[in-house]
Amino acid sequence: MFSTMAQRLQELMVLFFLAIFSKAVAGLKPYTRANLMPDAANNNYCLSWRLAVEANNVRGWRTVPAQCLRYIEAYMIGGQYDRDLEFITQQIWSYVSGIVPSSDGLDAWILDVDDTCISNVFYYKGKRYGCDPYDPAGFKAWALMGGCPAIPPLLRLFLDLVEGGFKVFLVTGRDQESLGQATADNLHNQGFIGYERLILRTASYKGQSAVKYKSDIRKQLVEEGYRIWGNVGDQWSDLQGEFLGNRTFKLPNPMYFVP
């Protein structure tokens, strides 16, 4: 009798726990990848966005998506940006090693300045790595300080090109009248010594796109007899248009877009 009652009590307890468990399971949210790894899902989106930007599939963007702030910050200062620069510079060196400059002094390379030769990462940290809109007055004040550090692999590349007998032209969209001297001093202080010419945007190019302006500069150099072996920049507008040279090399920059 007692064993029958104990067995019945055990059965009732099992039924009770099964009922409680079924209610708990019914209240669970369905499995989704977002619920499991929300940070990873956001990083995946931002990785895709950055890849599309670097491939020039996303154009005319004004700011970095707000949800990508931490991702871009980690990319720019966490080491991957530096590794990408080193990798691309190695590709440039491999190409340069196969060129034998002539003795006429007309073998040329073109390098952009901002975020190609010298870095604005510290400035853009204050602009949330591009999540804030472009601030012309703020950037001008920063550039006038002349404190942009050299980008190490590009400085080494520059010095090797000069030592190797190439004429290096630094072509920038910075305004010649207001930023010419500060830019020249900044470059000199960071070790960019020995270039053939620093070319800045004059009043005659005001309002024109970077593609139009830089195409005209390259055309002038070709008409002077220079052979452009390579063209390096962080913006697609550095590398589009006419008279591009034998090869172009795009450096990473997910912080801003110059049309």
Side-chain angles (χ1 to χ4, degrees), residues 14 60 73 91 148 166:
V14 169
E73 178 181 35
Q91 305 310 303
C148 301
F166 293 97

Side-chain angles (χ1 to χ4, degrees), residues 101-122:
S102 66
S103 58
D104 61 9
L106 293 174
D107 296 293
W109 276 75
I110 295 176
L111 273 61
D112 174 53
V113 173
D114 284 299
D115 296 300
T116 297
C117 292
I118 53 178
S119 173
N120 295 299
V121 172
F122 184 79

Side-chain angles (χ1 to χ4, degrees), residues 44-214:
N44 288 342
Y45 166 79
C46 296
L47 172 60
S48 296
W49 178 84
R50 182 175 65 82
L51 177 61
V53 163
E54 296 298 355
N56 203 30
N57 291 323
V58 176
R59 302 181 183 183
W61 53 279
R62 293 181 176 274
T63 59
V64 171
Q67 67 266 38
C68 295
L69 168 59
R70 296 307 176 200
Y71 172 84
I72 298 299
E73 178 181 35
Y75 173 74
M76 295 303 300
I77 66 176
Q80 188 59 53
Y81 170 67
D82 296 327
R83 288 189 288 272
D84 289 348
L85 288 172
E86 289 283 357
F87 184 89
I88 295 168
T89 306
Q90 287 289 343
Q91 305 310 303
I92 301 175
W93 274 328
S94 295
Y95 168 64
V96 173
S97 65
I99 304 171
V100 179
S102 66
S103 58
D104 61 9
L106 293 174
D107 296 293
W109 276 75
I110 295 176
L111 273 61
D112 174 53
V113 173
D114 284 299
D115 296 300
T116 297
C117 292
I118 53 178
S119 173
N120 295 299
V121 172
F122 184 79
Y123 168 78
Y124 274 95
K125 178 180 180 181
K127 298 297 181 181
R128 300 195 305 148
Y129 296 96
C131 289
D132 293 344
Y134 177 60
D135 177 8
F139 182 78
K140 181 179 178 180
W142 158 258
L144 283 170
M145 293 170 60
C148 301
I151 296 177
L154 274 299
L155 176 58
R156 295 196 301 270
L157 172 67
F158 166 83
L159 295 173
D160 285 348
L161 289 173
V162 172
E163 185 178 349
F166 293 97
K167 303 298 184 183
V168 180
F169 294 86
L170 306 183
V171 183
T172 174
R174 290 188 178 195
D175 177 65
Q176 180 175 353
E177 182 178 358
S178 60
L179 295 176
Q181 191 59 55
T183 303
D185 291 344
N186 193 161
L187 288 164
H188 185 275
N189 292 337
Q190 291 300 314
F192 289 91
I193 301 170
Y195 53 79
E196 185 68 13
R197 202 180 307 167
L198 170 62
I199 302 173
L200 299 99
R201 186 189 289 260
T202 60
S204 61
Y205 289 104
K206 186 176 182 180
Q208 293 190 7
S209 70
V211 173
K212 169 63 175 169
Y213 157 60
K214 294 199 171 186

